[in-house]
Amino acid sequence: MSEITNQQSQTDNQQSSWYESWFDTKYYHILYKDRNYREAQVFMDNLTHYLNLPEKAKVLDLACGKGRHSIYLNQLGFDVIGADLSENSIAEAKKNENENLHFVVHDMRESYEEKFDAIFNLFTSFGYFENEEDNLQTLVAIKESLSEYGFAVIDFMNVHQVIPNLIPEEIKTVDDIDFHIKRFVLDGFIIKQIDFETEGKTFHFEEKVKAFTLEDFQNMMDKAGIYLLDTFGDYKLKKFHKNTSERLIMIFK
């Protein structure tokens, strides 16, 4: 009988949240190893051009994971800090550090003393917290970490497009691991349950993201004293359409 490893047991939940356990495992990176790097680079090209960032601008990549966006932003000539709560991801990202590219373990709810010309929160790295105040505090921390002329960007899913098109169940095989994935909406969260067996063990993880709409973000931004300047619906920065756009990309300060 295989040993059962349940990272989302009640005991674990008292100690850590889903994102602390799941993002810090090697299996998260195995499951998502085929992400489109070229698409990410095109997005960064379009975004930095739109924002007209100055040469050597200071950029914070908030919830950077292993740093794919940070590394490319640095290649574009910016002074970049990649920040993430996952110690393992940051340890991996640090292999790419140079004089103008650094990675740190950091909680997005906490502001920085130094100020940034741009802060990017990309690839639906928002809405992880159970407590509404934590999401609001994240926005406040972003605002407090911007320079006087700085801009912030949140790249979120478009829930109006995602929810009707959720695939309830599928099996995705990567590196000989069969990931059994279930998706559903519960209590205002989009939940993905991930089960698999490998190395003689059975694993269960969960992703849980608040299904924020543009209106929800606007309400939070109003509370945080943030000004929403523009919205886009995809990585080519096309206009946002509520029912059809792939993404919800918000520019604010």
Side-chain angles (χ1 to χ4, degrees):
M1 188 172 176
S2 64
E3 177 185 345
I4 296 178
T5 304
N6 187 336
Q7 298 286 357
Q8 287 303 115
S9 67
Q10 285 186 328
T11 304
D12 278 355
N13 272 338
Q14 292 169 3
Q15 319 249 330
S16 64
S17 301
W18 69 263
Y19 47 87
E20 292 179 83
S21 53
W22 175 222
F23 290 161
D24 221 29
T25 72
K26 64 181 180 181
Y27 302 113
Y28 167 78
H29 298 289
I30 291 173
L31 177 59
Y32 294 116
K33 68 187 292 186
D34 294 328
R35 280 179 170 164
N36 191 328
Y37 278 73
R38 182 60 196 143
E39 182 183 60
Q41 291 176 353
V42 168
F43 181 32
M44 293 301 95
D45 288 340
N46 292 332
L47 195 55
T48 54
H49 179 74
Y50 170 82
L51 294 175
N52 194 26
L53 294 179
E55 188 178 353
K56 297 184 178 178
K58 295 189 67 173
V59 178
L60 174 63
D61 182 10
L62 196 58
C64 67
K66 285 187 176 181
R68 63 177 176 148
H69 292 102
S70 302
I71 293 166
Y72 186 65
L73 285 164
N74 177 242
Q75 290 170 356
L76 292 177
F78 302 117
D79 187 351
V80 183
I81 292 180
D84 200 280
L85 197 60
S86 167
E87 293 183 7
N88 286 337
S89 292
I90 291 299
E92 187 67 27
K94 275 183 171 293
K95 296 175 182 178
N96 300 285
E97 283 190 332
N98 60 48
E99 187 179 348
N100 297 307
L101 175 62
H102 299 92
F103 292 96
V104 295
V105 176
H106 177 79
D107 189 318
M108 67 171 66
R109 289 166 289 192
E110 298 173 3
S111 58
Y112 267 85
E113 282 190 25
E114 59 184 306
K115 306 303 179 188
F116 296 90
D117 300 303
I119 298 177
F120 296 157
N121 178 253
L122 306 170
F123 211 74
T124 310
S125 299
F126 192 92
Y128 294 167
F129 305 115
E130 293 278 353
N131 189 334
E132 291 282 344
E133 284 302 311
D134 286 332
N135 293 309
L136 178 60
Q137 181 55 41
T138 300
L139 287 177
V140 171
I142 291 173
K143 177 190 174 186
E144 290 177 346
S145 303
L146 283 173
S147 66
E148 183 180 356
Y149 301 105
F151 296 95
V153 180
I154 290 179
D155 160 37
F156 200 71
M157 61 183 165
N158 177 16
V159 297
H160 295 292
Q161 198 273 338
V162 168
I163 291 176
N165 295 289
L166 276 183
I167 300 172
E169 293 188 36
E170 68 172 321
I171 300 174
K172 185 176 179 182
T173 303
V174 187
D175 290 357
D176 296 323
I177 300 175
D178 294 331
F179 293 93
H180 295 256
I181 301 171
K182 293 182 179 180
R183 299 177 181 87
F184 54 93
V185 180
L186 181 67
D187 297 332
F189 286 86
I190 296 175
I191 298 172
K192 180 190 291 185
Q193 292 181 340
I194 304 156
D195 294 274
F196 56 96
E197 292 184 19
T198 184
E199 300 174 0
K201 299 177 183 178
T202 299
F203 293 88
H204 172 81
F205 291 99
E206 187 172 274
E207 296 178 12
K208 188 174 183 181
V209 180
K210 188 73 173 179
F212 285 128
T213 64
L214 175 57
E215 291 73 27
D216 292 328
F217 274 107
Q218 287 174 317
N219 288 335
M220 282 190 292
M221 288 178 180
D222 286 345
K223 291 178 182 178
I226 283 170
Y227 300 98
L228 180 61
L229 304 173
D230 216 340
T231 56
F232 298 106
D234 65 16
Y235 293 147
K236 295 178 180 177
L237 302 190
K238 293 181 181 176
K239 184 179 178 182
F240 175 73
H241 295 283
K242 178 177 176 179
N243 295 317
T244 58
S245 290
E246 298 172 5
R247 309 295 299 170
L248 170 59
I249 298 167
M250 294 161 286
I251 316 290
F252 59 93
K253 65 179 305 176

